[in-house]
Amino acid sequence: MNTVGGAYHVKPPMISKSGSFIHTMALTISYDNEEFFFITRRDSGEKSLIDEQLQTIWSDKVATGCFKYELGDLSTKQLFGKYGFVVQLNENRATKRRKPQLVFDVAMEFNPHEFHFGKVPEKEVIFIIQPQHWLEREKNSHVLLINVSPLEYCHSLLVPSIEKCLPQILKADEFRLAVELMLKSKDSFFRIGFNSLGAFASVNHLHFHAYYLKYELFIENAPTKHLVDSISNPCAVYELLDFPAEGFVFEILEDIHVFDVTRSVVKLTDCLLANNIAHNVFLTRGRPLSKPTTDYSELNALRIYVWAREAHYGVKDGNSFNVAVCELAGHIPMKDQESFKNITEEAIASELYKACHETFTAVRPIIKNMFHENL
């Protein structure tokens, strides 16, 4: 491989299709760790090469009819109140998306006979991602796919190591890929989320949701405090304050911390798995936790939120919205016009609180003790 420095080239990686592995000619984006963007400014209009390619190819696929429905201009409102919840009407996603798989546990083996992302047609591939600075980098194919039932602009699915057929369990290297994709974007509105099984993941094949949401979220600047006193520890875990969905928070400020922080996050989610606790993870730009600033226009931290929450198994219910990762972050897609019209901040806050409070309260001392022992 002779292309580095953010350049692009075409290479036939291995991806699975209908249970077998094939070659596909898709755009491959190569990068190294000298090309991360740690400072983004709100409404700067700047785009990185990743942003440009994602937006261009995704829009081309809209024009060629690759989706189950046309997203269009979603009816959107930001509720007046303390949390500024962003509420959107997306009736098509509620009625036209693929039927979710039956899930009965937080950890389940990958089943090749069920739907998985190796079975998608080649037209759904946006590009292949190739980290040049990783060891063993040639052995895995990391794929970005369109989400054919989009909830927002450029809604895509990051499928790391697609040929490994990994179940929907957070792994250190695969999570690191999601973090690095965030850091390759210059757009402060780019977001990435993860739903575990039992936390509204609908496919048991490791994947992350990525999309742009052009609204400020409360959690970008939400107050936090150290869960464990660990001054100057770049891998410190914080707890989210003054927000109805109680959770844990990490931050990344420099490239030298990417490797260690991603492993600290997965250490936490591994603990949740060991205790059979469903969870959601959300990545967003925000203000630093450890170095507070009053400049709200400059977002120079990558915030990583982890919510331990009540599990939900079986068919997705008939509520006006499900409490999955984007909802916990304050982005609320609604299923019907009436609910969209009448929803209130109090109603949303109540659902977020119910989803997380009991579980967070129970697991908090376990997580605190685990990280305290490693100081």
Side-chain angles (χ1 to χ4, degrees), residues 46-243:
E46 289 187 293
K47 296 180 182 180
S48 68
L49 291 174
I50 284 276
D51 295 315
E52 291 175 353
Q53 288 296 329
L54 171 55
Q55 293 172 22
T56 298
I57 297 173
W58 196 89
S59 297
D60 287 345
K61 291 182 183 296
V62 170
T64 53
C66 294
F67 295 81
K68 288 182 177 291
Y69 52 84
E70 187 173 333
L71 188 65
D73 293 325
L74 295 174
S75 296
T76 304
K77 59 183 179 181
Q78 192 155 22
L79 296 185
F80 177 79
K82 180 177 181 178
Y83 304 116
F85 292 125
V86 178
V87 182
Q88 293 183 316
L89 178 62
N90 194 335
E91 293 174 295
N92 282 326
R93 182 168 168 83
T95 59
K96 296 181 180 180
R97 64 179 301 185
R98 183 186 299 110
K99 183 180 178 180
Q101 293 175 6
L102 180 62
V103 172
F104 55 84
D105 200 351
V106 174
M108 296 171 56
E109 291 186 2
F110 178 88
N111 184 349
H113 303 295
E114 295 275 7
F115 171 81
H116 60 81
F117 297 113
K119 294 183 177 182
V120 302
E122 190 170 337
K123 66 180 182 180
E124 295 180 19
V125 178
I126 299 175
F127 49 66
I128 312 300
I129 302 173
Q130 190 68 75
Q132 291 283 357
H133 55 295
W134 286 23
L135 298 176
E136 305 292 323
R137 62 180 179 269
E138 290 289 341
K139 295 185 178 181
N140 298 325
S141 298
H142 310 299
V143 184
L144 192 71
L145 307 171
I146 61 170
N147 189 321
V148 295
S149 302
L151 61 82
E152 246 296 356
Y153 177 58
C154 286
H155 188 184
S156 309
L157 299 170
L158 176 63
V159 186
S161 307
I162 190 170
E163 75 278 14
K164 287 185 177 180
C165 296
L166 299 170
Q168 185 69 350
I169 295 174
L170 213 59
K171 299 289 185 182
D173 284 339
E174 285 71 22
F175 180 55
R176 177 186 174 193
L177 185 78
V179 167
E180 292 187 352
L181 180 61
M182 277 289 299
L183 293 173
K184 288 296 295 174
S185 170
K186 276 189 176 181
D187 195 318
S188 64
F189 293 114
F190 189 54
R191 331 281 183 165
I192 292 181
F194 170 86
N195 298 315
S196 80
L197 300 182
F200 288 99
S202 58
V203 179
N204 186 24
H205 187 180
L206 182 57
H207 66 285
F208 301 85
H209 293 268
Y211 64 98
Y212 297 90
L213 179 68
K214 297 285 185 180
Y215 291 85
E216 182 177 322
L217 297 174
F218 179 87
I219 64 168
E220 295 173 11
N221 305 300
T224 63
K225 71 174 182 180
H226 278 105
L227 181 66
V228 179
D229 290 333
S230 49
I231 305 301
S232 301
N233 179 4
C235 298
V237 57
Y238 298 74
E239 56 184 310
L240 174 59
L241 303 176
D242 204 22
F243 191 67

